[in-house]
Every structure is written in structure tokens, then in C-alpha cells.
Amino acid sequence: MDTATTLPRRVRGPRAESSRARLLAAAADVLGREGYTALTMERVAAASGVAKTTLYRHWPTKAALCMDLYLDEAGHELADPDTGDVRRDLEAIVSDVVRLQTRTVAGAAFLGLVAEAQIHPSSRDAFLAEFAERRRGLTRKVLRRAVARRQLRRGVDLDLVIDAIGGATTFRLLQGHAPLDARFAKALVALVLDGARP
Amino acid sequence: MDTATTLPRRVRGPRAESSRARLLAAAADVLGREGYTALTMERVAAASGVAKTTLYRHWPTKAALCMDLYLDEAGHELADPDTGDVRRDLEAIVSDVVRLQTRTVAGAAFLGLVAEAQIHPSSRDAFLAEFAERRRGLTRKVLRRAVARRQLRRGVDLDLVIDAIGGATTFRLLQGHAPLDARFAKALVALVLDGARP
């Protein structure tokens, strides 16, 4: 395990890239089929055929591995829809998140990271910086543009809008009490834009 | 550990009540001072001076113990404010949750339960039934009354309103990126009632 702290964090070269890809594919497979509890470093090394020391050289912890699983899926979702209309921009963002969380291994990786962040507070900062701030940054950009176009009230608390949208989505994912789908994405954006009053 | 499955779940009588109270007080103390990771069954038994077999007779798992820690704090928060106005009713509910999560040991217990529910899916149902549905039920009652009074649109999706309000609050608690306070409670309720459009 000492390799995790003494070796360089980034492993370079085509051989490293291919072991990284094999390890991520094996981890995604275990996570997708068997869930977060079954995902252990031992299991990933065995399933990939890559040495455990190599696995630890890429990711010192299971949380770090899950973060990369999440970001690999989420990375290409972080595109700015820029449709010219705040409703359509937000619907695109929520639909992307819903698809990511429900149709890819990112949902299970995200729930695992939420759990890890509560149990090991040290992983919380990385989780916040990598996951939360990247996505918040994109939504903030969309909302600022909407304020400039007068599609949103001047002075509206953008972080609060992000919390209501991201929070409702996360709440359904965590509690699993109601469907996360395109209909939900549209209705949530309409509620946050227009409110629940008559 | 087999006592957990073979003994009756509810332990009766004044002696049992006093050991339960001592165990809960010790657990709240460990959780409040040292966090969820430090909270182990061994630690709670030692800190309370109650036998570990008695602890397991009350709660077969750490998750079950955290659920009672949460519910003991949350129980008296589940009062219907019934002010006659939906805005004030919702502000009272959000303020209660904010106070509960930030000023009492319930916040740490809740985060622990969120983590457990992801790691051990079997604890998810109990978490949902006990925590989520009890609080959702109260908010649903407040919202239905508001629809009847025409303070909310007919046909508004009440569960979506609950997700936006509860989700934003949980998001701030999970991510710890922005203050959870009375100002947040007011602004969140205003956003959900009136929307972010000009």
C-alpha cells in the first residue's frame, strides 16, 4: 500500500494509458453489475489482469478510482448547450445529468462518492472540487447569460437556483422514491423558473 | 452478534428504557464530538457503561442506532406549523430542518444514514420509510392545504415541490459549499413559490 504515497501520481506513456483503461473498464464492470460494496481494489486488479501495485499507482484509494469513473463518464456531458433560451439550456443540463446518473455507471460512482465523502471527510474536498464545482460552474455560466438577456430576475441568487435544480435531482437519486426522467427534467426547470403559485 | 437476530427487537421495562437512554446519549456524544467514522458499537458500549449485548438487543446495526438518534431529535420537529399562509408554513418547515441538521447531532446521523444507504442497499428501505416519508408526509399536507386555499396552482406536482425544497437543503448539507441558515430558508421558499423569472 505504501506505493500509493511514494510513487508519482500520474503514470505516463502508452503502456500506462492502456493499463489505466483496462483498470477503469474492469472497475466500471464490477460497479455496474455488483454495486459499490463489491467494488474493492483487489477485485478490480483481479478482473483487469493488471497488477495491484499498478492499480494503486493510478489511484491510491477506492474514492479516487470512483472519481475517475465518474469524470470519465461526466466529462463529455459538461458541454454548454447555449440554445439562446434559459429554459431549454437548463432542460438540456438536467437531462444530461439524469441520463448520466440513470443510464451510465456514473450514478453508482456518484452515490459511492457521496457515501465516502460522509465517512471520510478528507475525500470531501476532492469530491467538491472535482464534481460539484465543475458542474456548478457550467450552470452558473448559463444562468449569468440568462440574467444578461433578462430571462431571469436581476439579483436572483444563482447558487440557490443551482441548489434547487441539482438538489432535487440528487434527492431523487439518493432516495429512489420517484422517477428520474425527461418529464422530471422539464417539470423541475418549469417550477424553478415560474414557481408554484397560481 | 447472533443476539441481534434472535432476541426481540423491542426491549421493555424501566431498566431497558434507562439503558436505551444511556446508550443513545453516549452515541450522540461520540457522533457529535468525533464524527461518524468514530461511532462504533464497541465505542458506544464502552462510553455508556452498558453491556455490548444490551446495545445489540436495542439496535442490531450502527444504521439502526443512527436512525433512532436522528428520529429522537427529529420527532418533535414534525409539527404542522399551520399558519394559514403557504409561504410561512414552508419557511417554518425549512427552518426546522436547517436547525435540526446544523445545530443538533441529527445532521451527522443523517449524513451517516445517507452513506449507509448507498453502501448497504438493505438499509435504504428503512431510511426511506422512516426518514424521508415521515417528513415528506408533513410537507405534502401543508401543500395540499395550500392548493385547497388557492395559494398554489391546481395540478402542481407536490412531490416535485418537496424534492426542490428538501433537495436544495440536503445538497447544501452534503456539499457544505454554502450556509444553511434562516436566510437560505426564506430565499429557497420564495424561489419555489415565485420562480426565478423577471
Coordinates of all heavy atoms in Angstrom, one line a residue, chain A residues 36-37 86-87 111 114-115 118-119 124 128 131-132 136 150-153 156 159-164 166-168 170-177 184 187-188 191-198, chain B residues 36-37 86-87 111 114-115 118-119 124 128 131-132 136 150-153 156 159-164 166-168 170-177 184 187-188 191-198:
Chain A
Y36 N -21.5 -0.8 -5.3 CA -20.4 -0.2 -4.7 C -19.7 -1.1 -3.6 O -18.4 -1.0 -3.5 CB -20.9 1.1 -4.0 CG -19.8 2.0 -3.5 CD1 -19.0 2.7 -4.4 CD2 -19.5 2.1 -2.2 CE1 -18.0 3.5 -4.0 CE2 -18.5 2.9 -1.7 CZ -17.7 3.6 -2.6 OH -16.7 4.4 -2.1
T37 N -20.4 -1.8 -2.9 CA -19.8 -2.6 -1.8 C -18.9 -3.7 -2.4 O -17.8 -4.0 -1.9 CB -20.9 -3.3 -1.0 OG1 -21.9 -2.3 -0.7 CG2 -20.3 -3.8 0.3
V86 N -33.1 30.3 -21.7 CA -32.7 29.7 -20.4 C -33.5 28.4 -20.1 O -32.9 27.5 -19.5 CB -32.9 30.7 -19.2 CG1 -34.3 31.1 -19.0 CG2 -32.3 30.2 -17.9
R87 N -34.7 28.3 -20.5 CA -35.5 27.1 -20.2 C -34.9 25.9 -20.9 O -34.6 24.9 -20.3 CB -37.0 27.3 -20.6 CG -37.8 26.1 -20.3 CD -39.3 26.3 -20.7 NE -39.5 26.6 -22.1 CZ -39.3 25.8 -23.1 NH1 -39.0 24.5 -22.9 NH2 -39.5 26.2 -24.3
L111 N -23.0 7.9 -6.2 CA -23.5 7.5 -4.9 C -22.4 7.0 -4.0 O -22.4 7.3 -2.8 CB -24.6 6.5 -5.0 CG -25.9 7.0 -5.6 CD1 -26.9 5.9 -5.9 CD2 -26.6 8.0 -4.7
V114 N -20.6 10.0 -2.7 CA -21.4 10.7 -1.6 C -21.2 10.0 -0.3 O -20.9 10.6 0.7 CB -22.9 10.7 -2.0 CG1 -23.7 11.1 -0.8 CG2 -23.2 11.7 -3.2
A115 N -21.2 8.7 -0.4 CA -21.0 7.9 0.9 C -19.6 8.1 1.4 O -19.5 8.4 2.6 CB -21.3 6.4 0.6
Q118 N -19.0 11.4 3.2 CA -19.5 11.5 4.6 C -18.7 10.7 5.6 O -18.5 11.1 6.7 CB -21.0 11.0 4.6 CG -21.9 11.6 3.6 CD -21.6 13.1 3.3 OE1 -21.5 13.8 4.3 NE2 -21.6 13.4 2.1
I119 N -18.2 9.5 5.1 CA -17.5 8.6 6.0 C -16.0 9.1 6.2 O -15.5 9.0 7.3 CB -17.6 7.2 5.5 CG1 -19.0 6.7 5.6 CG2 -16.7 6.2 6.3 CD1 -19.3 5.4 5.0
R124 N -13.9 14.6 1.0 CA -15.0 15.6 0.6 C -14.5 16.7 -0.2 O -15.1 17.2 -1.2 CB -15.5 16.1 1.9 CG -16.7 17.0 1.7 CD -17.2 17.5 3.0 NE -18.6 17.2 3.2 CZ -19.4 17.7 4.1 NH1 -19.0 18.6 5.0 NH2 -20.7 17.4 4.2
L128 N -15.9 17.7 -3.8 CA -16.5 19.1 -4.1 C -15.8 19.7 -5.3 O -16.4 20.3 -6.2 CB -16.3 19.9 -2.9 CG -17.4 19.8 -1.8 CD1 -17.1 20.7 -0.6 CD2 -18.7 20.2 -2.4
F131 N -16.2 17.3 -8.7 CA -17.6 17.0 -9.2 C -18.4 18.3 -9.1 O -18.9 18.9 -10.1 CB -18.3 15.9 -8.4 CG -19.8 16.0 -8.5 CD1 -20.4 15.7 -9.7 CD2 -20.6 16.5 -7.5 CE1 -21.7 15.8 -9.9 CE2 -22.0 16.7 -7.7 CZ -22.5 16.3 -8.9
A132 N -18.6 18.8 -7.9 CA -19.6 19.8 -7.6 C -19.2 21.1 -8.4 O -20.0 21.7 -9.1 CB -19.8 20.0 -6.1
R136 N -21.4 23.0 -11.2 CA -21.9 24.2 -10.8 C -21.4 25.4 -11.7 O -22.2 26.3 -12.0 CB -21.5 24.6 -9.3 CG -22.2 23.7 -8.3 CD -21.8 24.1 -6.9 NE -22.7 25.2 -6.4 CZ -23.8 25.0 -5.8 NH1 -24.2 23.8 -5.6 NH2 -24.6 26.0 -5.4
R150 N -32.0 39.2 -19.6 CA -33.3 39.5 -18.9 C -34.3 38.3 -18.9 O -35.5 38.5 -18.9 CB -33.9 40.8 -19.4 CG -32.9 41.8 -19.6 CD -33.4 43.2 -19.5 NE -32.3 44.1 -19.6 CZ -32.3 45.4 -19.2 NH1 -33.4 45.9 -18.8 NH2 -31.2 46.1 -19.3
Q151 N -33.8 37.1 -19.0 CA -34.6 36.0 -18.9 C -34.8 35.5 -17.5 O -35.6 34.7 -17.1 CB -34.1 34.8 -19.8 CG -34.1 35.1 -21.3 CD -33.5 34.1 -22.1 OE1 -32.7 33.2 -21.7 NE2 -33.8 34.1 -23.4
L152 N -33.9 36.0 -16.6 CA -34.0 35.8 -15.2 C -34.0 37.2 -14.5 O -33.4 38.1 -15.0 CB -32.8 35.0 -14.7 CG -32.8 33.5 -15.0 CD1 -31.6 32.9 -14.3 CD2 -34.0 32.8 -14.7
R153 N -34.6 37.2 -13.3 CA -34.6 38.4 -12.5 C -33.1 38.8 -12.2 O -32.3 38.0 -11.8 CB -35.2 38.2 -11.1 CG -36.7 38.6 -11.1 CD -37.1 38.8 -9.6 NE -36.7 37.8 -8.7 CZ -37.3 36.6 -8.5 NH1 -38.3 36.3 -9.3 NH2 -36.8 35.8 -7.6
V156 N -31.2 37.6 -8.7 CA -31.6 36.3 -8.3 C -30.4 35.5 -7.8 O -29.3 35.7 -8.4 CB -32.4 35.5 -9.4 CG1 -31.5 35.1 -10.5 CG2 -33.2 34.4 -8.8
D159 N -26.7 30.7 -7.0 CA -26.3 29.4 -6.3 C -27.5 28.7 -5.7 O -27.6 27.5 -5.7 CB -25.3 29.7 -5.2 CG -23.9 29.7 -5.8 OD1 -23.5 28.6 -6.3 OD2 -23.2 30.7 -5.8
L160 N -28.5 29.5 -5.4 CA -29.8 28.9 -4.8 C -30.5 28.2 -6.0 O -31.1 27.1 -5.8 CB -30.7 30.0 -4.3 CG -31.9 29.6 -3.5 CD1 -31.5 28.8 -2.2 CD2 -32.8 30.8 -3.2
V161 N -30.5 28.8 -7.2 CA -31.2 28.1 -8.3 C -30.5 26.8 -8.6 O -31.1 25.8 -8.8 CB -31.2 29.1 -9.5 CG1 -31.7 28.4 -10.8 CG2 -32.0 30.3 -9.3
I162 N -29.1 26.9 -8.5 CA -28.3 25.6 -8.8 C -28.7 24.6 -7.7 O -28.8 23.4 -8.0 CB -26.8 26.0 -8.8 CG1 -26.5 26.9 -10.0 CG2 -26.0 24.7 -8.9 CD1 -25.1 27.4 -10.0
D163 N -28.8 25.0 -6.5 CA -29.1 24.1 -5.4 C -30.5 23.5 -5.6 O -30.7 22.3 -5.3 CB -29.1 24.8 -4.0 CG -27.6 25.1 -3.5 OD1 -26.7 24.4 -4.0 OD2 -27.4 26.0 -2.7
A164 N -31.5 24.3 -6.0 CA -32.8 23.7 -6.2 C -32.8 22.7 -7.3 O -33.4 21.6 -7.2 CB -33.8 24.8 -6.5
G166 N -30.0 21.1 -8.8 CA -29.1 20.0 -8.6 C -29.6 19.2 -7.4 O -29.5 17.9 -7.3
G167 N -30.2 19.9 -6.4 CA -30.6 19.2 -5.2 C -31.8 18.3 -5.4 O -31.8 17.1 -5.0
A168 N -32.8 18.7 -6.2 CA -33.9 17.9 -6.5 C -33.5 16.6 -7.2 O -34.0 15.5 -6.9 CB -35.0 18.7 -7.3
T170 N -30.5 15.2 -7.2 CA -29.7 14.3 -6.3 C -30.6 13.6 -5.3 O -30.4 12.5 -4.9 CB -28.7 15.2 -5.5 OG1 -27.8 15.8 -6.5 CG2 -27.8 14.3 -4.6
F171 N -31.7 14.4 -4.8 CA -32.6 13.8 -3.8 C -33.3 12.6 -4.4 O -33.4 11.6 -3.7 CB -33.7 14.9 -3.6 CG -34.2 15.0 -2.2 CD1 -33.3 14.9 -1.1 CD2 -35.5 15.2 -1.9 CE1 -33.8 15.0 0.2 CE2 -36.0 15.3 -0.6 CZ -35.2 15.2 0.4
R172 N -33.7 12.7 -5.7 CA -34.4 11.5 -6.3 C -33.4 10.4 -6.5 O -33.8 9.2 -6.3 CB -35.0 11.9 -7.7 CG -36.2 12.8 -7.5 CD -37.2 12.5 -8.5 NE -38.4 13.3 -8.2 CZ -39.5 13.4 -8.8 NH1 -39.7 12.8 -10.0 NH2 -40.5 14.2 -8.4
L173 N -32.2 10.7 -6.8 CA -31.2 9.7 -7.0 C -30.9 9.0 -5.6 O -30.8 7.7 -5.5 CB -29.9 10.3 -7.5 CG -28.8 9.3 -7.9 CD1 -29.2 8.4 -9.1 CD2 -27.5 10.0 -8.2
L174 N -30.8 9.8 -4.6 CA -30.5 9.2 -3.2 C -31.6 8.4 -2.7 O -31.4 7.4 -2.1 CB -30.2 10.4 -2.3 CG -28.8 11.1 -2.4 CD1 -28.8 12.3 -1.4 CD2 -27.7 10.1 -2.0
Q175 N -32.8 9.0 -2.8 CA -34.0 8.3 -2.2 C -34.6 7.3 -3.1 O -35.3 6.4 -2.5 CB -35.0 9.4 -1.7 CG -34.4 10.4 -0.7 CD -35.4 11.2 0.0 OE1 -36.6 11.2 -0.3 NE2 -35.0 11.9 1.0
G176 N -34.5 7.5 -4.4 CA -35.0 6.5 -5.3 C -36.5 6.4 -5.2 O -37.1 5.3 -5.4
H177 N -37.2 7.5 -4.8 CA -38.7 7.4 -4.5 C -39.5 7.8 -5.7 O -40.7 7.6 -5.7 CB -39.0 8.3 -3.3 CG -38.7 9.8 -3.7 ND1 -37.5 10.3 -3.7 CD2 -39.5 10.8 -4.0 CE1 -37.5 11.6 -4.0 NE2 -38.8 11.9 -4.3
F184 N -39.4 14.6 -15.6 CA -39.0 15.3 -14.4 C -38.1 16.5 -14.7 O -38.2 17.6 -14.1 CB -38.2 14.2 -13.6 CG -37.3 14.8 -12.5 CD1 -37.8 15.3 -11.3 CD2 -35.9 15.0 -12.7 CE1 -37.0 15.8 -10.3 CE2 -35.1 15.5 -11.7 CZ -35.7 16.0 -10.5
A187 N -40.3 19.4 -15.9 CA -41.2 19.9 -14.8 C -40.3 20.7 -13.8 O -40.8 21.7 -13.2 CB -41.9 18.8 -14.1
L188 N -39.2 20.2 -13.4 CA -38.3 20.8 -12.5 C -37.9 22.2 -12.9 O -37.9 23.2 -12.2 CB -37.1 19.9 -12.2 CG -36.0 20.5 -11.2 CD1 -36.6 20.8 -9.8 CD2 -34.8 19.6 -11.1
L191 N -40.7 24.6 -12.7 CA -41.0 25.0 -11.4 C -40.0 26.1 -10.9 O -40.4 27.1 -10.3 CB -40.9 23.8 -10.4 CG -41.1 24.1 -8.9 CD1 -42.5 24.6 -8.6 CD2 -40.7 22.9 -8.0
V192 N -38.7 25.9 -11.2 CA -37.7 26.8 -10.7 C -37.8 28.2 -11.4 O -37.6 29.2 -10.9 CB -36.3 26.2 -10.8 CG1 -35.2 27.3 -10.6 CG2 -36.2 25.1 -9.8
L193 N -38.2 28.1 -12.7 CA -38.4 29.4 -13.5 C -39.7 30.1 -13.1 O -39.7 31.4 -13.0 CB -38.3 29.1 -15.0 CG -37.0 28.7 -15.5 CD1 -37.1 28.4 -17.0 CD2 -35.9 29.7 -15.2
D194 N -40.8 29.4 -13.0 CA -42.1 30.1 -12.9 C -42.7 30.0 -11.5 O -43.7 30.7 -11.2 CB -43.0 29.5 -13.9 CG -42.5 29.7 -15.3 OD1 -41.9 30.8 -15.6 OD2 -42.6 28.8 -16.2
G195 N -42.2 29.1 -10.6 CA -42.8 29.0 -9.3 C -44.1 28.2 -9.2 O -44.6 27.8 -10.3
A196 N -44.5 27.9 -8.0 CA -45.7 27.0 -7.8 C -47.0 27.8 -7.5 O -48.0 27.2 -7.4 CB -45.4 26.1 -6.7
R197 N -46.9 29.1 -7.5 CA -48.1 29.9 -7.2 C -49.0 29.9 -8.4 O -48.6 29.8 -9.5 CB -47.7 31.4 -6.9 CG -46.9 31.5 -5.6 CD -47.5 32.6 -4.8 NE -46.4 33.2 -3.9 CZ -46.5 33.3 -2.6 NH1 -47.6 32.8 -2.0 NH2 -45.6 33.8 -1.9
P198 N -50.3 30.3 -8.2 CA -51.2 30.4 -9.3 C -50.8 31.4 -10.3 O -50.1 32.4 -9.9 CB -52.5 30.8 -8.7 CG -52.4 30.5 -7.2 CD -51.0 30.6 -6.9
Chain B
Y36 N -18.9 10.3 12.4 CA -19.5 9.1 12.0 C -18.5 7.9 12.0 O -18.9 6.8 12.4 CB -20.2 9.2 10.7 CG -21.0 8.0 10.3 CD1 -22.3 7.8 10.9 CD2 -20.6 7.0 9.4 CE1 -23.1 6.7 10.6 CE2 -21.4 5.9 9.1 CZ -22.6 5.8 9.7 OH -23.4 4.7 9.4
T37 N -17.3 8.1 11.6 CA -16.3 7.0 11.5 C -16.0 6.5 12.9 O -15.8 5.3 13.1 CB -15.0 7.5 10.7 OG1 -15.5 8.2 9.6 CG2 -14.2 6.3 10.3
V86 N -49.0 29.6 2.9 CA -48.1 28.6 2.5 C -46.7 29.0 2.6 O -45.8 28.2 3.0 CB -48.4 28.2 1.0 CG1 -48.2 29.3 0.0 CG2 -47.6 26.9 0.6
R87 N -46.4 30.3 2.4 CA -45.0 30.8 2.5 C -44.5 30.6 3.9 O -43.4 30.0 4.1 CB -44.9 32.2 2.1 CG -43.5 32.8 2.1 CD -43.4 34.3 1.6 NE -44.3 35.1 2.4 CZ -44.0 35.6 3.6 NH1 -42.9 35.2 4.3 NH2 -44.9 36.3 4.3
L111 N -26.3 12.3 7.7 CA -25.2 12.1 6.7 C -24.7 10.6 6.8 O -24.4 10.0 5.8 CB -24.1 13.1 6.9 CG -24.4 14.5 6.5 CD1 -23.2 15.4 6.9 CD2 -24.7 14.6 5.1
V114 N -27.3 8.5 5.1 CA -27.2 8.6 3.6 C -26.0 7.7 3.1 O -26.2 7.0 2.2 CB -26.9 10.1 3.2 CG1 -26.4 10.2 1.8 CG2 -28.1 10.9 3.5
A115 N -24.9 7.8 3.8 CA -23.8 6.9 3.4 C -24.1 5.5 3.5 O -23.9 4.7 2.6 CB -22.5 7.3 4.3
Q118 N -26.3 4.0 0.8 CA -25.6 3.8 -0.5 C -24.8 2.5 -0.4 O -24.7 1.8 -1.4 CB -24.8 5.0 -0.9 CG -25.5 6.3 -0.9 CD -26.9 6.3 -1.3 OE1 -27.2 5.7 -2.3 NE2 -27.8 6.9 -0.6
I119 N -24.1 2.3 0.7 CA -23.2 1.2 0.8 C -23.9 -0.1 1.1 O -23.6 -1.1 0.6 CB -22.1 1.5 1.9 CG1 -21.3 2.7 1.4 CG2 -21.3 0.3 2.2 CD1 -20.3 3.2 2.4
R124 N -31.6 1.0 2.9 CA -32.2 2.1 2.2 C -33.7 2.2 2.5 O -34.3 3.2 2.6 CB -31.9 1.9 0.7 CG -32.4 3.1 -0.1 CD -32.1 2.8 -1.6 NE -31.4 3.9 -2.1 CZ -31.2 4.1 -3.4 NH1 -31.7 3.3 -4.3 NH2 -30.5 5.1 -3.8
L128 N -35.7 5.3 4.0 CA -36.8 5.9 3.2 C -38.1 6.0 4.0 O -38.7 7.0 4.1 CB -37.0 5.2 1.9 CG -36.1 5.5 0.7 CD1 -36.5 4.7 -0.4 CD2 -36.3 7.0 0.4
F131 N -37.3 8.1 7.6 CA -36.9 9.5 7.5 C -37.7 10.2 6.4 O -38.5 11.1 6.6 CB -35.4 9.7 7.2 CG -35.1 11.0 6.6 CD1 -35.2 12.1 7.4 CD2 -34.8 11.2 5.3 CE1 -35.0 13.4 6.9 CE2 -34.6 12.4 4.7 CZ -34.7 13.6 5.6
A132 N -37.5 9.7 5.2 CA -38.0 10.5 4.0 C -39.5 10.6 4.1 O -40.1 11.7 4.0 CB -37.5 9.9 2.8
R136 N -41.7 13.9 4.2 CA -42.5 14.2 3.0 C -44.0 14.3 3.3 O -44.7 15.2 2.8 CB -42.2 13.2 1.9 CG -40.8 13.1 1.4 CD -40.7 12.1 0.3 NE -41.2 12.6 -1.0 CZ -40.4 13.3 -1.8 NH1 -39.1 13.4 -1.5 NH2 -40.9 13.8 -2.9
R150 N -56.1 27.9 -2.7 CA -55.7 28.6 -4.0 C -54.4 29.4 -3.8 O -54.2 30.4 -4.4 CB -56.8 29.4 -4.6 CG -58.1 28.7 -4.5 CD -59.0 29.1 -5.5 NE -60.2 28.2 -5.5 CZ -61.1 28.1 -6.4 NH1 -61.0 28.8 -7.5 NH2 -62.1 27.2 -6.3
Q151 N -53.6 29.0 -2.9 CA -52.3 29.6 -2.7 C -51.2 29.0 -3.6 O -50.1 29.5 -3.8 CB -51.8 29.6 -1.2 CG -52.7 30.4 -0.3 CD -52.4 30.3 1.1 OE1 -51.7 29.4 1.5 NE2 -52.9 31.2 1.9
L152 N -51.5 27.8 -4.1 CA -50.7 27.1 -5.1 C -51.6 26.8 -6.3 O -52.8 26.6 -6.2 CB -50.1 25.8 -4.5 CG -49.0 25.9 -3.4 CD1 -48.5 24.5 -3.1 CD2 -47.9 26.8 -3.9
R153 N -50.9 26.7 -7.5 CA -51.6 26.3 -8.7 C -52.2 24.9 -8.5 O -51.6 24.0 -8.0 CB -50.6 26.1 -9.8 CG -50.5 27.3 -10.7 CD -49.9 27.0 -12.1 NE -48.8 26.0 -12.1 CZ -47.5 26.4 -11.8 NH1 -47.2 27.7 -11.6 NH2 -46.5 25.5 -11.8
V156 N -50.3 21.4 -9.5 CA -48.8 21.5 -9.4 C -48.3 20.1 -8.8 O -49.1 19.5 -8.0 CB -48.4 22.7 -8.5 CG1 -48.8 22.5 -7.0 CG2 -47.0 23.0 -8.6
D159 N -44.9 16.5 -5.2 CA -43.7 15.8 -4.9 C -42.4 16.5 -5.5 O -41.4 16.4 -4.9 CB -43.7 14.3 -5.4 CG -44.4 13.4 -4.4 OD1 -43.8 13.3 -3.3 OD2 -45.4 12.9 -4.6
L160 N -42.7 17.1 -6.6 CA -41.6 17.9 -7.2 C -41.2 19.1 -6.3 O -40.1 19.4 -6.1 CB -42.0 18.4 -8.6 CG -40.9 19.0 -9.5 CD1 -39.9 18.0 -9.8 CD2 -41.6 19.6 -10.7
V161 N -42.3 19.8 -5.8 CA -42.0 20.9 -4.9 C -41.2 20.4 -3.6 O -40.3 21.0 -3.2 CB -43.4 21.6 -4.4 CG1 -43.1 22.6 -3.4 CG2 -44.1 22.2 -5.7
I162 N -41.6 19.2 -3.1 CA -40.9 18.7 -2.0 C -39.5 18.4 -2.4 O -38.5 18.6 -1.6 CB -41.6 17.4 -1.5 CG1 -43.0 17.8 -0.9 CG2 -40.8 16.7 -0.4 CD1 -43.9 16.6 -0.6
D163 N -39.3 17.8 -3.6 CA -37.9 17.5 -4.0 C -37.0 18.8 -4.1 O -35.9 18.7 -3.8 CB -37.9 16.8 -5.3 CG -38.4 15.3 -5.2 OD1 -38.2 14.8 -4.1 OD2 -38.8 14.8 -6.2
A164 N -37.6 19.8 -4.7 CA -36.8 21.1 -4.8 C -36.5 21.6 -3.5 O -35.3 22.0 -3.2 CB -37.6 22.1 -5.6
G166 N -36.6 20.0 -0.3 CA -35.8 19.1 0.5 C -34.4 18.8 -0.2 O -33.4 18.7 0.5
G167 N -34.4 18.8 -1.5 CA -33.2 18.5 -2.2 C -32.2 19.7 -2.1 O -31.0 19.4 -1.8
A168 N -32.6 20.9 -2.2 CA -31.7 22.0 -2.0 C -31.1 22.0 -0.6 O -29.9 22.2 -0.5 CB -32.4 23.4 -2.3
T170 N -30.7 19.4 1.4 CA -29.8 18.2 1.5 C -28.5 18.5 0.7 O -27.4 18.1 1.2 CB -30.5 17.0 1.0 OG1 -31.7 16.8 1.7 CG2 -29.7 15.7 1.1
F171 N -28.6 19.1 -0.4 CA -27.5 19.4 -1.3 C -26.5 20.3 -0.5 O -25.3 20.0 -0.5 CB -28.0 20.2 -2.5 CG -27.2 19.9 -3.8 CD1 -26.9 18.6 -4.1 CD2 -26.9 20.9 -4.6 CE1 -26.3 18.3 -5.3 CE2 -26.3 20.7 -5.8 CZ -26.0 19.4 -6.2
R172 N -27.0 21.3 0.2 CA -26.1 22.2 1.0 C -25.4 21.4 2.1 O -24.3 21.6 2.5 CB -26.8 23.4 1.5 CG -27.2 24.3 0.4 CD -27.1 25.8 0.9 NE -27.3 26.6 -0.3 CZ -27.3 27.9 -0.4 NH1 -27.1 28.6 0.7 NH2 -27.4 28.5 -1.5
L173 N -26.2 20.5 2.7 CA -25.7 19.7 3.9 C -24.6 18.8 3.4 O -23.6 18.6 4.0 CB -26.8 18.9 4.5 CG -26.5 18.2 5.8 CD1 -26.2 19.1 6.9 CD2 -27.6 17.2 6.2
L174 N -24.9 18.1 2.2 CA -23.9 17.1 1.7 C -22.7 17.8 1.2 O -21.6 17.3 1.4 CB -24.5 16.4 0.5 CG -25.6 15.3 0.7 CD1 -26.2 14.9 -0.6 CD2 -24.9 14.1 1.5
Q175 N -22.8 18.9 0.5 CA -21.7 19.5 -0.2 C -21.0 20.5 0.7 O -19.8 20.8 0.5 CB -22.1 20.2 -1.5 CG -22.7 19.2 -2.5 CD -22.7 19.8 -3.9 OE1 -22.5 20.9 -4.2 NE2 -23.0 18.9 -4.9
G176 N -21.7 21.1 1.7 CA -21.1 22.0 2.6 C -20.5 23.3 1.9 O -19.6 23.9 2.4
H177 N -21.1 23.7 0.8 CA -20.5 24.7 0.0 C -21.1 26.1 0.3 O -20.5 27.1 -0.2 CB -20.7 24.4 -1.5 CG -22.1 24.4 -1.9 ND1 -22.9 23.4 -1.6 CD2 -22.9 25.3 -2.5 CE1 -24.2 23.6 -2.1 NE2 -24.1 24.8 -2.6
F184 N -31.3 31.4 4.0 CA -31.4 30.4 3.0 C -32.9 29.9 2.9 O -33.5 29.7 1.9 CB -30.4 29.3 3.2 CG -30.7 28.0 2.5 CD1 -30.4 27.8 1.2 CD2 -31.3 26.9 3.2 CE1 -30.7 26.7 0.5 CE2 -31.6 25.7 2.5 CZ -31.3 25.6 1.2
A187 N -35.2 32.4 1.3 CA -34.9 32.6 -0.2 C -35.3 31.4 -1.0 O -35.9 31.5 -2.1 CB -33.4 32.9 -0.4
L188 N -35.1 30.2 -0.4 CA -35.5 29.0 -1.1 C -37.0 28.9 -1.3 O -37.5 28.6 -2.4 CB -35.0 27.7 -0.3 CG -35.4 26.4 -0.9 CD1 -34.8 26.1 -2.3 CD2 -34.9 25.3 0.1
L191 N -38.1 31.3 -3.9 CA -37.8 30.8 -5.3 C -38.8 29.8 -5.8 O -39.3 29.8 -6.9 CB -36.4 30.2 -5.3 CG -35.9 29.5 -6.6 CD1 -35.8 30.6 -7.7 CD2 -34.6 28.7 -6.5
V192 N -39.1 28.8 -4.9 CA -40.0 27.7 -5.3 C -41.4 28.2 -5.5 O -42.2 27.8 -6.4 CB -39.9 26.6 -4.3 CG1 -41.1 25.6 -4.5 CG2 -38.6 25.9 -4.3
L193 N -41.8 29.2 -4.7 CA -43.2 29.8 -4.9 C -43.3 30.7 -6.1 O -44.3 30.7 -6.8 CB -43.6 30.5 -3.6 CG -43.9 29.6 -2.4 CD1 -44.3 30.5 -1.2 CD2 -45.0 28.6 -2.7
D194 N -42.3 31.6 -6.3 CA -42.4 32.6 -7.3 C -41.5 32.5 -8.5 O -41.7 33.2 -9.5 CB -42.1 34.0 -6.7 CG -43.1 34.3 -5.5 OD1 -44.3 34.0 -5.7 OD2 -42.6 34.7 -4.4
G195 N -40.6 31.6 -8.5 CA -39.7 31.3 -9.7 C -38.6 32.4 -9.8 O -38.6 33.4 -9.1
A196 N -37.7 32.1 -10.8 CA -36.6 33.0 -11.0 C -36.7 34.0 -12.2 O -35.8 34.7 -12.4 CB -35.3 32.1 -11.2
R197 N -37.9 33.9 -12.8 CA -38.1 34.8 -14.0 C -38.4 36.2 -13.5 O -38.8 36.4 -12.4 CB -39.3 34.3 -14.8 CG -39.0 33.0 -15.5 CD -39.5 33.1 -16.9 NE -39.9 31.8 -17.4 CZ -39.4 31.2 -18.4 NH1 -38.4 31.7 -19.1 NH2 -39.8 30.0 -18.8
P198 N -38.2 37.2 -14.4 CA -38.5 38.6 -14.0 C -39.9 38.7 -13.7 O -40.8 38.0 -14.3 CB -38.1 39.4 -15.3 CG -37.3 38.5 -16.1 CD -37.7 37.1 -15.8

